[in-house]
Each structure stands twice: as structure tokens, then as C-alpha cells.
Amino acid sequence: MTYPKTVLLLFFTVSLITIRIPLNLNPLFIVHPLNYLCIIILIIITKKDTEFKNLFPKFKKIIITYWLYSIFITVLGLVLSENYWDYKNVLFYYIPSVFISLTIFLGIRFEENLDILKFLMNIIFPITTIIGILLYIIFNEFFYKNDYDFLITRLTIPIFFFVLAFPFLTRKNKILILFFSIFYIFIDPLWRTNILRIAACWTFVFIYLTFGLNKKLLNMIGIITLIIPLTFLYTGYTGKLDIFEYYSSENSGLTGTKRKQLSNTRTFLYVEVIDSMKNKDNSLLFGGGASNGYQTNYFNDANVSLYSNQERYRAEAAFLNTLNRSGLIGVLLEMLILFFAAYYAINKSNNDFCKLLALYLYLSFILYFLELPQELNLGYFFY
């Protein structure tokens, strides 16, 4: 199979995984096998790569260190596993999340992956938009009752990539991207992270068109995006300021179902995960291993162990999952991957689009504390 066809197969497989929830795909018999199919494809792509050796030495060392540390966390998780749920967490969730990092090999050969971008622009975006408009107008109640808004917005997550490319597109494509980005917010206005993502990307484009891409300005944005989440993490932990309260419906003036959907869904997660690590005497530095869950009194869903201690194996924020499993070392390594990649794109590249993508990597560090669950989906596919 040729390289473009291999990547296209990977894209289709990741798309199926991304829209599994509204289609009610069975995780055990469909999603987990698809995850491992993606892993096999990523390994094939990696083995064929000849450009990794040309990466900046420091960045390459960080990536390799991350892989080695992930192996250590995996082995630790297997050693500490006590039941089916623990092994499931290692094999079906942690290991696939680590293999996401292999998508770096897709970025190295960016020019050979343009067919996927054309496929999204010419087929996925128009079809999902047309279907979304028809279902919204004709079958509005059915549309939202069956979470088809979820299907459309998750399948079109890569819109941020095209928003960043806005200055370099043809006039026709500029109009389409502007329309698509507005429509995907309109169709699912309760997905706050998506609104933040799209709005931030348009802000980056505005900065580029207004001020240009001055290195000092871009590096300053990087410093600010590093400080913001760490500051709010500190103020939240000390009880001085909970930023999530201002990000929720308590201050929105909404009532009823919309108020519930826009409620504060993060503060209690941070409290439960951190308290659980304390109660289980997990190492803050190394975490509790790949099998580690956290004790919850809030949830009673499919991700909660049927065994004692009411453990849940995944939170909705990437930072919490990494902290719980890999500790501060894992968090630091993931942060370095983002910031070193962004730094080199800004300071070593002459390509303006690369610099805009670097700004998105900076934004991703903020999203890291809000959402970005580490799993194979179209969001990670376009990192």
C-alpha cells in the first residue's frame, strides 16, 4: 500500500473512532480494535520514515524521553494492576493515548498528506454542513435528541486547521471556511471548548493580518499561555479563585436544560483526582501508573469500576489523566513537547503558516487543562 493510501486509511479509521458515541459503536468489539488498527498503521508509517533523524536534537531527545518514560509508566501500571478494570485501562486507554505521539511522523511529511486536507475541504465539510442544516431545520428535536450535533462538530474538529490557513486560501475557500466555522459553533453552541478553539484561531489570524508575525510578540504569547493555566491552577487549589465558576452557567443567566449543560463540570474533577491521589498515596512525581484510576463520588457510568472504592479510569481533562497516571514528570514532558515544537516553528521557520500552527500549540496548553482527552480522534490527528 502506498504512503498516501496508508494515511487515508488511518484518517478513515480515526474518523470512525471520533464519531463512535452518537453512532453507539460498541467499544469492546469495534472501537478498541479500531484503536489498535490505528496503532499498527502508525507503526507502519513510522518504520517507513526517514526524516525523524533530521529533527532538532533537543526536540528529538524530548520525544524519545517521553516514549521511554511512557514504557516505564506502562510497566508500572501492569505490575500494580489487580483486576480486569486495571488491565483494561492500560491496554485500551493508556497505550493508545501514548501512540498518539506517533502522529508526529505525519507532520514531518506534511506535503504528502495534502489529499486529506482536500478531502476534508471538498467532501467532509460540505456534506456535514448540508446534513446539519437539513436536520436542524426539518428534524430539530430528533437532531439534538440523538446527539447528531455531537457527530457533526466532532467530525469537523479540524476546522481550526483551515481557519489558521485562512490568509493563504483562495477567496472562494475563505468564504467557505468563514461560513463553516460559524455554522459549527451555531450547531453546537454548548461545546465551550470548541468555541474557544475556533475563536482563538480567528484571533491568531487577526493578529497575523494586523500586526504580522513578530517573533517577540509570538514568544510573548507563548509565555502568557504558559502562565495562565498554571496561575489559575494555583488560585483554584488555594481557594482564592475558581476560574471554572466564570466559565459556567452560574454566571450566564441561563435556566433549565441549557443551564445544566453549561454547568461547572471541571472543578469537582480536579478535587476528586487530587484528593484520590492523596488518599491512595500516589506519587505526585511519578503518578500511580498506567492502570491508575481515581476515586469518585460523583459518577456512576461505564467508566466506573464495579469493584470497591468506586474508581473511575478517565477524567475529561488531559492534565488530570496525565497527573494521575504519570505524575508531574509526565505533565512536564507533554508540556515540553508542545512548547519546544512551537518555539522551533516560530524561531527557526520562515513559513508563516507554521508560526500560526505554533500559536495553536500554545493554545493547546490551555485546552490541556480544560479538555483534550488523550485518545485517537481527529483533534489529535491534526496536531
Side-chain angles (χ1 to χ4, degrees):
M1 185 181 293
T2 63
Y3 176 80
K5 290 183 178 179
T6 304
V7 175
L8 197 59
L9 174 61
L10 176 63
F11 174 79
F12 281 122
T13 309
V14 173
S15 298
L16 282 176
I17 296 172
T18 301
I19 61 176
R20 69 189 183 281
I21 294 178
L23 294 183
N24 293 315
L25 298 180
N26 185 292
L28 181 61
F29 298 107
I30 299 179
V31 176
H32 296 325
L34 287 177
N35 271 326
Y36 273 89
L37 175 59
C38 287
I39 289 174
I40 293 171
I41 296 173
L42 282 169
I43 291 173
I44 292 173
I45 291 172
T46 301
K47 289 185 68 176
K48 291 182 178 180
D49 177 76
T50 58
E51 299 296 325
F52 183 74
K53 64 179 182 295
N54 297 324
L55 289 180
F56 293 102
K58 288 183 180 179
F59 183 65
K60 187 162 62 173
K61 287 179 182 178
I62 292 172
I63 292 286
I64 293 173
T65 302
Y66 170 76
W67 289 333
L68 294 175
Y69 185 69
S70 297
I71 293 173
F72 164 72
I73 294 298
T74 301
V75 173
L76 178 63
L78 291 172
V79 171
L80 297 177
S81 293
E82 297 178 348
N83 53 58
Y84 160 79
W85 291 87
D86 291 340
Y87 288 107
K88 178 180 179 181
N89 195 29
V90 177
L91 298 174
F92 293 152
Y93 296 113
Y94 182 75
I95 291 178
S97 75
V98 172
F99 274 92
I100 290 172
S101 61
L102 294 185
T103 54
I104 185 176
F105 293 99
L106 299 177
I108 292 174
R109 302 172 68 173
F110 176 76
E111 293 183 357
E112 297 181 54
N113 299 319
L114 295 180
D115 286 345
I116 292 179
L117 301 180
K118 294 177 183 177
F119 181 78
L120 279 165
M121 188 67 189
N122 298 329
I123 298 178
I124 296 296
F125 290 161
I127 289 177
T128 53
T129 302
I130 292 171
I131 293 175
I133 292 173
L134 291 176
L135 289 177
Y136 180 82
I137 295 174
I138 303 174
F139 305 105
N140 186 280
E141 183 177 348
F142 172 82
F143 180 70
Y144 286 106
K145 183 179 180 181
N146 291 277
D147 291 330
Y148 285 110
D149 56 325
F150 181 102
L151 186 152
I152 288 175
T153 51
R154 270 59 179 184
L155 192 58
T156 56
I157 287 176
I159 187 66
F160 77 83
F161 190 88
F162 292 85
V163 171
L164 292 173
F166 180 83
F168 318 108
L169 300 176
T170 63
R171 182 185 178 123
K172 172 189 172 183
N173 286 335
K174 284 181 178 179
I175 295 172
L176 287 174
I177 290 303
L178 180 61
F179 173 75
F180 290 151
S181 64
I182 294 173
F183 177 72
Y184 298 144
I185 290 176
F186 171 79
I187 207 74
D188 191 3
L190 301 181
W191 188 13
R192 290 163 289 185
T193 306
N194 194 46
I195 295 174
L196 175 61
R197 179 189 292 113
I198 293 175
C201 288
W202 278 118
T203 302
F204 298 151
V205 170
F206 175 78
I207 291 173
Y208 171 69
L209 296 175
T210 307
F211 304 104
L213 295 177
N214 180 276
K215 289 183 180 180
K216 289 184 179 180
L217 174 62
L218 301 188
N219 287 323
M220 181 60 67
I221 292 174
I223 294 172
I224 293 172
T225 56
L226 172 64
I227 293 174
I228 287 176
L230 296 179
T231 300
F232 286 132
L233 183 64
Y234 171 76
T235 59
Y237 183 77
T238 57
K240 295 179 180 179
L241 174 65
D242 181 3
I243 188 61
F244 295 122
E245 290 296 330
Y246 293 89
Y247 192 59
S248 64
S249 61
E250 280 72 8
N251 291 287
S252 67
L254 296 173
T255 59
T257 303
K258 288 186 177 180
R259 179 182 176 88
K260 183 178 180 181
Q261 289 176 306
L262 287 175
S263 61
N264 183 350
T265 59
R266 291 297 178 265
T267 298
F268 74 90
L269 285 177
Y270 276 77
V271 171
E272 285 196 333
V273 171
I274 293 173
D275 285 349
S276 176
M277 292 184 71
K278 290 179 180 177
N279 295 336
K280 296 168 67 176
D281 199 26
N282 291 149
S283 168
L284 184 61
L285 197 60
F286 297 103
S291 62
N292 198 35
Y294 70 92
Q295 297 164 350
T296 178
N297 294 315
Y298 185 89
F299 286 98
N300 184 23
D301 61 16
N303 291 320
V304 177
S305 170
L306 298 177
Y307 294 89
S308 60
N309 297 326
Q310 190 76 0
E311 290 218 344
R312 191 167 186 253
Y313 286 91
R314 285 189 298 171
E316 281 69 20
F319 167 75
L320 293 177
N321 289 325
T322 302
L323 181 68
N324 192 39
R325 295 169 181 167
S326 310
L328 289 177
I329 293 178
V331 171
L332 178 63
L333 286 171
E334 291 180 350
M335 182 189 76
L336 289 175
I337 289 173
L338 287 176
F339 278 84
F340 263 78
Y343 174 82
Y344 283 125
I346 290 171
N347 296 282
K348 303 296 182 180
S349 173
N350 294 319
N351 187 302
D352 286 349
F353 183 51
C354 283
K355 294 179 180 180
L356 286 169
L357 289 175
L359 291 178
Y360 182 78
L361 289 179
Y362 285 147
L363 170 69
S364 295
F365 187 62
I366 295 177
L367 300 180
Y368 182 70
F369 290 82
L370 298 175
E371 193 176 83
L372 285 184
Q374 297 124 310
E375 58 185 18
L376 284 161
N377 60 47
L378 291 179
Y380 278 103
F381 190 87
F382 277 85
Y383 266 148

